Amino acid sequence: MSAGARTLEASARVSRPVAVLIVALAVALIALTPFLPNYYIRVANSLLIYVLLGIGLNIVIGYAGLLDLGFVAFYAVGAYAYALLASAQLGLHLPLLLILPIAVSLGVMAGVLLGIPVLKLRGDYLAIVTLGFGEIIRILVNNLGTVTGGPKGVARLDKASIGGLEIARPGEIYWLLIITVLVAGVLVWRLERSILGKAWAAIREDQDAARGIGINTTNAKLAAFATSAAIGSTAGVIFAASQRFVSPDSFSLQESVLIVLMIVIGGIGNILGIIAGAAILILLPEVLREFAEWRVLFLGVLMIVLIIARPAGLVPRRFGPETLLRGLFGR
Amino acid sequence: MLGTLVQQAVNALTIGSIYALIALGYTMVYGVLRMINFAHGEMFMLGAYAAFLALTLMAGDAQTAGGVVLMIAFTAAVVTVGGVGVVLERLAYKPLRNSTRLAPMLSSLGASLALVAGMQILAGPQPVAFPSLFPSIPYDVLGGTVTSVQIGILVAAFVLMIGLWALVNRSRMGVIIRAVSESRQTARLLGINVDLAISMVFFAGALLGAAGGILYASYYGIMSPTMGAAVGLKAFTAAILGGIGSVPGAMLGAYILAFIEVAGTALLPILTGGLVGTEYRDVLAFAILILVLLVRPAGILGEPVSEESMVYKREF
């Protein structure tokens, strides 16, 4: 996609009936899912966690144009924060609402920690260093056996609860996720339209020009890593609270790659694209469950075919949530 | 003490040679296409499985195959995997050549997934015992033990690397490859067959990777469908460390990484009083990588490009 096409203001249009139909379908789907059998709610939860992860990683990749292959590190930070602070592992049994800010702060710290050394790097080198960072975190988690439980992980995490309201069953986790995704989605959407978001777009299009017109690229990049890490660790906390078990297996390089792919296949820089990408990469393997060992092979081939068929993603960047809003309310 | 030192140095050279063979594939593809080929680690894995299949077909039992059969199987396997590399490029990367920088990289990740899963379906997910390519005779060198297996691996790796050096620097094909890596557009304008050059790079890269896989499986006596991922990541780190795109850099990076690994495995527990064990040697490898990139963002032997001059390498 050319730079010109990417910077083009959102110009996609949908007519009001189409917008109403799409939004009504989405609302109906969201409202009806909790009434499905538990298995389907679990699949929906897994989908929503990936949407949340996609929203987070998209800040770095889609907005700031920095390729991060170690995103799963922040997911791990959040998940282990919950696992250690809400289990018998350290003897602490903190409530969810206390762990969340702690995990987010830890995630932001990890994000800045990763951000500082990679500020000088670009493109492929950046991808490698972030990949190395993700691996370092995974190896640490795998080997700090006395704290993290090593390869066995941490089991029997506390049930999450907010003000006496227990959040442990799939249906309850579902609503927690819906609310979190909505909050994160709106937050990031606003962020993209803020001064900071414009700075990110400028860095993505031409870093040198961005610096030339006085944008502090260092701070803008650090902010991108930090906000994306905050969302990643939030996803980790909810993941840990819903599984009530964490182990290093959940934070492999493949996981990072899956999230990058989700964004790219769905359409970079666009929340509707993230949802589409997550739906394909998370739901399809579920549907193919009976072909157990063939599904990874199929997924790999599908990845290649999708990238070749639609290199710019399924949902065009200019077709975002605002397209729907404009369709609904007119201009 | 000297004996231990010699022995550890030979261990490092052996594993470094294997990393170097694989790192060359990453660096050559990058040099020509500016693309990270994540499926390259799978060429390494395919090499071991192809050699095992060839041995079983020819000798009935891979474990008891003799010298000539081993040579034929080795050759057949690396050439076949070289061909797989070419086919993979045609199917999965060529359609994306004029697309964003990110697309072929992700396509290669898909290929990597598919190849590992395919091998798991074909051969089963469990590790398989791999026969030694060379008879294992221990020699005493300055008080340390060096086996003929290690010597064989060193010789084989050196022969292959010299072969690659000759191909790149002393053959007509090498001139074409270097021209394409310099500038694809200019090369095309001058009537150079760019597709042929790229196919050749993938052929040579996959062939070397497969050879590395066979030597690795033979050294450790085991192979598995997932073996490409871990070693591939290491070799890739080596390529970056040396300066991706640079052939001597890939070799240098591979040996440096191997020496750090061996030294780390031996020294980490001693230096920290047993607090930090050998399991952290991969952390060490990545930490060194990050440190080197901080000082020299283009790697040790990479062209020392400033951030400004990298503008033409703009990403997706």
Side-chain angles (χ1 to χ4, degrees):
Chain A
M1 202 191 317
S2 78
R6 265 188 283 158
T7 42
L8 203 69
E9 271 302 299
S11 61
R13 284 172 178 279
V14 285
S15 65
R16 183 170 295 185
V18 175
V20 170
L21 192 70
I22 294 175
V23 173
L25 273 176
V27 170
L29 200 64
I30 290 171
L32 289 178
T33 303
F35 298 103
L36 293 171
N38 267 350
Y39 165 75
Y40 294 98
I41 306 178
R42 282 207 182 88
V43 174
N45 287 351
S46 147
L47 178 77
L48 286 168
I49 285 182
Y50 279 97
V51 169
L52 197 53
L53 288 169
I55 292 175
L57 182 58
N58 186 46
I59 298 174
V60 172
I61 295 190
Y63 296 166
L66 307 162
L67 181 52
D68 179 357
L69 286 182
F71 186 64
V72 90
F74 310 122
Y75 187 38
V77 165
Y80 272 92
Y82 187 85
L84 296 179
L85 298 177
S87 73
Q89 189 73 7
L90 297 181
L92 296 165
H93 294 276
L94 303 183
L96 178 70
L97 284 183
L98 192 57
I99 295 176
L100 210 52
I102 297 176
V104 168
S105 324
L106 287 173
V108 167
M109 271 161 59
V112 173
L113 198 72
L114 169 68
I116 290 170
V118 302
L119 284 175
K120 282 170 69 182
L121 303 170
R122 277 193 190 175
D124 302 326
Y125 290 95
L126 180 74
I128 306 325
V129 172
T130 53
L131 186 152
F133 179 77
E135 281 295 288
I136 288 178
I137 296 279
R138 192 184 58 81
I139 296 168
L140 284 179
V141 162
N142 210 356
N143 290 308
L144 293 170
T146 46
V147 184
T148 62
K152 289 200 308 287
V154 185
R156 287 202 298 281
L157 310 186
D158 297 348
K159 286 180 180 171
S161 65
I162 296 177
L165 181 70
E166 195 171 82
I167 306 173
R169 281 182 293 154
E172 295 153 358
I173 295 280
Y174 174 81
W175 286 115
L176 177 65
L177 274 165
I178 288 282
I179 293 166
T180 317
V181 165
L182 278 177
V183 170
V186 169
L187 193 92
V188 169
W189 186 35
R190 295 306 307 160
L191 215 52
E192 194 201 355
R193 272 147 193 77
S194 69
I195 300 286
L196 186 58
K198 309 273 188 229
W200 288 337
I203 291 173
R204 179 184 72 218
E205 297 303 331
D206 192 329
Q207 183 169 321
D208 304 280
R211 193 176 300 151
I213 56 169
I215 290 172
N216 186 334
T217 54
T218 306
N219 286 353
K221 281 185 184 177
L222 280 182
F225 275 113
T227 39
S228 114
I231 296 177
S233 52
T234 304
V237 169
I238 302 180
F239 171 74
S242 72
Q243 301 284 313
R244 299 176 60 202
F245 166 74
V246 292
S247 81
D249 292 344
S250 309
F251 311 105
S252 63
L253 176 60
Q254 264 82 357
E255 207 70 9
S256 280
V257 166
L258 193 69
I259 308 165
V260 174
L261 260 174
M262 226 172 69
I263 298 178
V264 174
I265 284 180
I268 287 184
N270 180 334
I271 190 167
L272 295 182
I274 294 168
I275 297 172
I280 288 180
L281 291 183
I282 309 303
L283 294 186
L284 211 66
E286 274 317 312
V287 176
L288 296 172
R289 195 163 273 284
E290 48 186 306
F291 305 101
E293 48 183 13
W294 287 88
R295 65 188 177 144
V296 183
L297 177 66
F298 181 75
L299 192 65
V301 174
L302 180 80
M303 269 164 62
I304 302 174
V305 172
L306 278 176
I307 290 167
I308 292 177
R310 287 200 70 102
L314 293 170
V315 183
R317 189 187 276 258
R318 59 203 177 87
F319 189 91
E322 59 272 32
T323 317
L324 285 178
L325 287 178
R326 249 200 327 272
L328 272 186
F329 302 112
R331 286 239 75 165
Chain B
M1 185 59 205
L2 181 68
T4 323
L5 221 57
V6 170
Q7 195 168 325
Q8 296 291 8
V10 175
N11 288 349
L13 273 178
T14 311
I15 192 75
S17 303
I18 295 174
Y19 288 167
L21 285 178
I22 314 160
L24 285 169
Y26 282 111
T27 221
M28 283 168 61
V29 168
Y30 191 88
V32 171
L33 285 183
R34 299 271 178 275
M35 162 207 169
I36 299 171
N37 178 16
F38 277 108
H40 186 57
E42 274 53 62
M43 300 300 120
F44 172 84
M45 176 272 290
L46 284 181
Y49 275 88
F52 191 85
L53 177 69
L55 284 176
T56 315
L57 288 178
M58 286 192 293
D61 179 9
Q63 307 296 337
T64 58
V68 180
V69 175
L70 280 170
M71 283 306 291
I72 300 174
F74 185 91
T75 314
V78 295
V79 171
T80 310
V81 177
V84 172
V86 174
V87 172
L88 186 67
E89 194 272 328
R90 282 291 149 103
L91 293 181
Y93 311 150
K94 199 177 169 214
L96 296 166
R97 218 175 271 167
N98 296 317
S99 164
T100 61
R101 297 274 314 276
L102 194 56
M105 197 171 103
L106 292 170
S107 179
S108 77
L109 280 166
S112 163
L113 265 186
L115 287 169
V116 173
M119 190 52 81
Q120 280 173 341
I121 294 167
L122 280 175
Q126 69 288 350
V128 179
F130 195 89
S132 182
L133 285 185
F134 312 98
S136 183
I137 309 160
Y139 296 103
D140 187 81
V141 180
L142 298 172
T145 315
V146 175
T147 68
S148 55
V149 178
Q150 292 180 312
I151 298 171
I153 290 175
L154 283 175
V155 171
F158 281 132
V159 168
L160 285 165
M161 284 191 259
I162 291 167
L164 178 78
W165 179 84
L167 172 81
V168 173
N169 291 306
R170 286 281 177 274
S171 73
R172 191 170 154 65
M173 187 44 89
V175 176
I176 294 176
I177 290 174
R178 279 181 287 149
V180 172
S181 106
E182 207 56 50
S183 165
R184 218 189 304 160
Q185 281 77 13
T186 316
R188 197 189 303 277
L189 286 174
L190 293 172
I192 285 173
N193 189 339
V194 172
D195 288 336
L196 180 70
I198 291 174
S199 290
M200 195 60 210
V201 163
F202 272 87
F203 182 78
L207 185 148
L208 293 178
I214 300 171
L215 295 176
Y216 186 89
S218 158
Y219 188 45
Y220 291 105
I222 204 155
M223 63 178 185
S224 74
T226 50
M227 70 193 273
V231 184
L233 199 59
K234 255 353 146 30
F236 182 47
T237 307
I240 299 277
L241 196 61
I244 194 153
S246 154
V247 168
M251 295 188 215
L252 183 69
Y255 287 113
I256 290 178
L257 192 72
F259 271 91
I260 290 170
E261 238 185 72
V262 169
T265 311
L267 290 179
L268 271 182
I270 302 171
L271 286 179
T272 60
L275 188 67
V276 175
T278 55
E279 65 273 14
Y280 285 100
R281 60 165 200 223
D282 288 357
V283 172
L284 196 69
F286 287 120
I288 298 272
L289 174 76
I290 294 177
L291 285 178
V292 169
L293 288 184
L294 279 183
V295 186
R296 280 189 68 88
I300 297 170
L301 291 189
E303 355 157 13
V305 281
S306 67
E307 210 187 340
E308 279 66 33
S309 71
M310 282 187 68
V311 172
Y312 76 98
K313 289 181 179 172
R314 283 266 313 282
E315 296 73 48
F316 48 101

